[in-house]
């Protein structure tokens, strides 16, 4: 997976600039991002605070770990015979 040039805190900061009144095309030009990237970020991070962004990433990571653990349990059990 490609690593982002911007951290979640930076993305939320850019979105806060937009909420403060700066128009989207100027923000995109200032930060070197496309309009599509800006609107994707707004859909994903809109209304979040910095602490919420890191909390959601933590929950996603926990969900992936729990899924892997569940997957291991399913693989280690004996197969069901008919």
């Amino acid at each position: 997976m490609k690593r982002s040039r911007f951290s979640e805190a930076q993305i939320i900061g850019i979105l806060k600039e937009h909420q403060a009144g700066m128009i989207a095309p100027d923000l995109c030009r200032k930060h070197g991002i496309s309009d599509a990237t800006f609107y994707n970020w707004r859909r994903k991070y809109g209304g979040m605070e910095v602490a919420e962004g890191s909390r959601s990433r933590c929950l996603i990571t926990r969900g992936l770990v729990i899924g892997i653990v569940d997957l291991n349990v399913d693989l280690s059990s004996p197969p069901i015979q008919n």
Side-chain angles (χ1 to χ4, degrees), residues 38-56:
F38 172 77
Y39 290 112
N40 283 333
W41 286 352
R42 193 173 76 174
R43 185 184 71 227
K44 186 173 182 181
Y45 299 104
M48 275 191 189
E49 295 295 324
V50 175
E52 292 172 359
S54 61
R55 183 174 183 270
S56 68

Side-chain angles (χ1 to χ4, degrees), residues 26-40:
D26 290 342
L27 269 175
C28 294
R29 207 171 305 116
K30 176 181 173 185
H31 295 286
I33 58 174
S34 70
D35 289 340
T37 298
F38 172 77
Y39 290 112
N40 283 333

